[in-house]
Amino acid sequence: MGHVVIDVMLKPEILDPQGQAVNGALPRLGFEQFTDVRQGKRFVLTVDGEVTDEVLAAAREAAEKLLSNPVIEDVVSVRAAAADVDDDQDPGQ
Amino acid sequence: MGHVVIDVMLKPEILDPQGQAVNGALPRLGFEQFTDVRQGKRFVLTVDGEVTDEVLAAAREAAEKLLSNPVIEDVVSVRAAAADVDDDQDPGQ
């Protein structure tokens, strides 16, 4: 069983009220080091079997057609994930 | 200027109606290869300067305290991102 992770973010020029709300709340909780926050969406698609190039191409097409609104959003990443996506904790990425 | 990417997903046992809606729509658009979809949140936090271990620790704490609801959500990833997060397109992850 494989997983494809798709990340969708608002385009940089589009106002992000959710991100601004988080950005306003962080200093009140003592987190002064962050200057901006943007909030987007993360999709995890499951496939039976391996994540082949065909699966990734289909996921990329689905991301453009269904998972994002190309007027205001960018698909920033479409990639195969480790089998257990909850272990996707590599701090180096 | 550095960026920290935080991924938050609903816990596997929590119902995900948004993911189910996407999962129901995919076959209607001709994407038959996906068996499940989960939808979560992706935050991009900006810091002046580099993403140090202290910044990552603060981001991890903010993720647990503010960006996720620990009753229903897991923080699946807190990591430094490339300077231009829109280029975060590594298909190997």
Side-chain angles (χ1 to χ4, degrees):
Chain A
M1 205 167 67
H3 299 281
V4 178
V5 176
I6 298 171
D7 293 323
V8 175
M9 300 296 289
L10 286 168
K11 289 179 188 290
E13 65 271 24
I14 302 292
L15 187 69
D16 175 5
Q18 287 180 302
Q20 287 187 341
V22 172
N23 199 27
L26 283 170
R28 292 201 298 275
L29 290 173
F31 301 102
E32 308 278 359
Q33 52 275 82
F34 303 107
T35 57
D36 190 29
V37 179
R38 304 284 290 177
Q39 181 171 343
K41 291 180 285 187
R42 180 179 193 263
F43 300 91
V44 179
L45 279 58
T46 304
V47 286
D48 286 334
E50 298 222 349
V51 178
T52 60
D53 286 348
E54 288 76 33
V55 167
L56 277 178
R60 212 165 278 126
E61 196 186 338
E64 300 287 348
K65 278 191 184 170
L66 178 65
L67 304 179
S68 68
N69 175 348
V71 177
I72 58 168
E73 292 172 323
D74 288 323
V75 178
V76 295
S77 171
V78 178
R79 62 191 188 276
D84 183 349
V85 286
D86 288 345
D87 282 348
D88 185 19
Q89 296 256 18
D90 184 352
Q93 296 173 17
Chain B
M1 204 168 65
H3 298 281
V4 179
V5 176
I6 298 171
D7 292 323
V8 174
M9 299 296 290
L10 285 167
K11 288 180 189 290
E13 66 270 25
I14 302 292
L15 188 69
D16 175 5
Q18 287 181 302
Q20 287 189 339
V22 172
N23 199 28
L26 283 170
R28 291 201 298 275
L29 290 172
F31 301 103
E32 308 278 358
Q33 54 274 82
F34 303 107
T35 57
D36 191 30
V37 178
R38 304 284 290 177
Q39 180 171 343
K41 292 180 285 186
R42 180 178 193 262
F43 299 92
V44 179
L45 279 59
T46 304
V47 286
D48 286 334
E50 299 223 346
V51 177
T52 61
D53 286 348
E54 289 77 32
V55 167
L56 276 179
R60 213 166 277 128
E61 197 186 338
E64 299 288 349
K65 278 192 183 170
L66 177 64
L67 304 179
S68 68
N69 176 348
V71 177
I72 57 168
E73 291 172 324
D74 288 323
V75 178
V76 295
S77 171
V78 178
R79 63 191 188 276
D84 183 349
V85 286
D86 287 344
D87 282 347
D88 186 17
Q89 297 255 19
D90 183 354
Q93 297 171 17

